Amino acid sequence: GRGHAMTARRIIHIVDDEAIVRASIVSLVQAHGPFECREYADGEACLAVIDAIEPGCVVLDLQLDEVGGSKLIRALAERQGRFRMVVVTGLSDLATAIEAFRLGAVDFLHKPYEMRALLDAIDRGFHLLEQGGEPPALVAEARARLARLTPDEARVLALLIQGGTNQDIARMLGVDSRKVQIDRARALAAIDAPSI
């Protein structure tokens, strides 16, 4: 087989309160590559065994009870040498998703999400675990995209990523919220991002 693929088994830990969702993710990732999946019905179950389970990627659905979800995210963030997380969320959990992103989540996906996006995020997660960093080509591409932004667009984008609303950002920067909307639209167009 391919050289490094054989060195480690790739374990994916799937945390979701719906068995049918876990099953569909399992069949998807196993069709994609030689992954082994472990399933957990809630954040607490995964937390309880976190120091005993094998390192790998954790796919975490945040429509878990709030406490278990955010506790698990913090525990995973403290163990980035062993785990990387991909967070799946409904709109209502956006604040927790943003917190997860700040704590090092590889990606967060909104339901309903594209399967391709989940597989890409899992691949990046394993690259981070195995190589200790993002794929250099991806980093270079991200830098090149961000270099297209004007200083105003870059400032607005940074504040949006931190969870600010258009109104908050307009107040902070002392500009009209219409200007924030325009900078936001231009920034996303410039970096080719479909959404924040």
Side-chain angles (χ1 to χ4, degrees):
R2 293 193 306 267
H4 76 276
M6 300 314 296
T7 57
R9 287 181 311 157
R10 290 182 155 193
I11 312 284
I12 300 178
H13 301 281
I14 299 165
V15 186
D16 192 299
D17 55 357
E18 292 184 71
I20 190 155
V21 175
R22 295 196 304 271
S24 71
I25 294 174
V26 169
S27 59
L28 173 79
V29 298
Q30 287 180 339
H32 178 61
F35 297 109
E36 283 183 43
C37 298
R38 309 273 183 273
E39 299 180 37
Y40 309 86
D42 56 38
E44 302 291 346
C46 188
L47 254 180
V49 293
I50 198 162
D51 289 317
I53 59 180
E54 297 151 290
C57 240
V58 180
V59 177
L60 170 62
D61 189 321
L62 267 186
Q63 283 177 325
L64 304 165
D65 63 295
E66 221 27 65
V67 187
S70 52
K71 260 201 223 140
L72 179 56
I73 285 170
R74 279 194 293 275
L76 291 167
E78 286 160 13
R79 296 164 175 79
Q80 284 208 1
R82 295 180 59 225
F83 300 105
R84 289 289 165 149
M85 57 183 159
V86 177
V87 175
V88 177
T89 177
L91 267 174
S92 55
D93 297 306
L94 192 57
T96 322
I98 288 168
E99 182 199 3
F101 217 44
R102 284 203 194 108
L103 289 171
V106 176
D107 208 345
F108 68 88
L109 306 174
H110 274 287
K111 290 193 281 203
Y113 54 88
E114 295 286 324
M115 287 304 168
R116 181 78 247 161
L118 177 63
L119 295 173
D120 287 347
I122 287 170
D123 286 342
R124 277 183 50 223
F126 279 110
H127 194 286
L128 283 163
L129 278 173
E130 291 162 10
Q131 317 293 325
E134 292 273 12
L138 272 183
V139 174
E141 191 199 345
R143 290 217 169 99
R145 287 184 185 202
L146 290 172
R148 301 173 196 161
L149 300 176
T150 67
D152 280 359
E153 289 162 3
R155 207 171 302 130
V156 165
L157 187 64
L159 293 166
L160 285 165
I161 288 167
Q162 287 165 26
T165 64
N166 289 359
Q167 285 72 23
D168 298 336
I169 294 168
R171 270 199 304 279
M172 246 185 286
L173 301 179
V175 297
D176 181 38
S177 72
R178 177 92 190 105
K179 171 157 171 49
V180 172
Q181 277 172 348
I182 292 168
D183 284 339
R184 173 190 183 133
R186 285 192 178 140
L188 291 176
I191 63 173
D192 254 349
S195 70
I196 205 69

